[in-house]
Amino acid sequence: MAASYSLDDLRYFCTIVKLGSFKKASINLGMSLSTLSRRIRLLEQALQLTLLNRDAHRVTLTHTGELYYDRYRKLFDEVECIEQALCDEKDQPKGKIRISAPIYMGKHFLSAIFCEFLLQYPDIQLDLRFSNNLIDIEKEGIDIAFRV
């Protein structure tokens, strides 16, 4: 049976619990208080469960709400870690670049450029292959090939 709620609704629920109020969660999520309240009400209706006890001054978890929060909090914490790791990866170039060039060109023209490049991007490895022989760049897995 398909769920009639989204993971966003569960994330909203976790944000409310984490921050302790609908108002703080609505600000954090960038949505109106009424929209957030409606989404949580629809989530509870879809689950046919009460997750939160609400009164004028505070929000508390029901027993079922505690079970849901404990399970989904871990999921959303992991998603947040993955997103942060991907952002870090995106912002910092890493990896290996395989480069092929003729010996003379590599020695006299490219070596200074490669040194400067490595200083600017320390997490990148250059696999330099200087040779005057013709190579199959696809077979060798070459990313950049210089030929004169």
Side-chain angles (χ1 to χ4, degrees):
M1 182 170 118
S4 58
Y5 58 89
S6 72
L7 282 176
D8 282 337
D9 295 334
L10 291 167
R11 186 172 56 87
Y12 300 156
F13 161 71
C14 288
T15 302
I16 292 165
V17 175
K18 187 176 180 179
L19 298 177
S21 79
F22 275 82
K23 184 175 182 177
K24 289 177 184 175
S26 72
I27 293 167
N28 180 273
L29 295 166
M31 66 188 336
S32 72
L33 188 57
S34 61
T35 299
L36 179 59
S37 182
R38 180 179 50 78
R39 294 288 295 262
I40 297 304
R41 188 175 63 254
L42 292 172
L43 171 65
E44 290 177 323
Q45 288 173 356
L47 294 171
Q48 297 180 346
L49 299 168
T50 301
L51 301 173
L52 298 169
N53 292 316
R54 305 155 177 86
D55 67 28
H57 303 289
R58 64 186 175 136
V59 176
T60 58
L61 286 166
T62 64
H63 176 70
T64 305
E66 283 182 41
L67 296 174
Y68 266 74
Y69 179 69
D70 287 342
R71 304 262 329 249
Y72 283 106
R73 174 185 51 84
K74 293 172 189 168
L75 170 74
F76 292 118
D77 287 348
E78 180 65 21
V79 168
E80 199 172 295
C81 286
I82 292 168
E83 288 173 350
Q84 185 61 48
L86 291 174
C87 284
D88 292 346
E89 185 76 22
K90 178 187 76 166
D91 294 338
Q92 185 63 14
K94 296 178 185 174
K96 182 186 281 191
I97 301 173
R98 291 174 188 85
I99 300 173
S100 174
I103 296 170
Y104 184 83
M105 182 183 198
K107 182 178 179 183
H108 294 288
F109 299 107
L110 298 176
S111 60
I113 294 170
F114 292 153
C115 287
E116 191 176 317
F117 179 86
L118 289 172
L119 290 173
Q120 189 171 352
Y121 301 101
D123 291 334
I124 292 182
Q125 300 170 340
L126 295 181
D127 179 358
L128 301 173
R129 300 176 188 187
F130 297 124
S131 171
N132 292 333
N133 298 329
L134 291 177
I135 61 168
D136 183 341
I137 61 173
E138 189 173 338
K139 181 181 176 188
E140 297 289 328
I142 300 296
D143 298 305
I144 302 170
F146 293 92
R147 290 295 178 250
V148 182

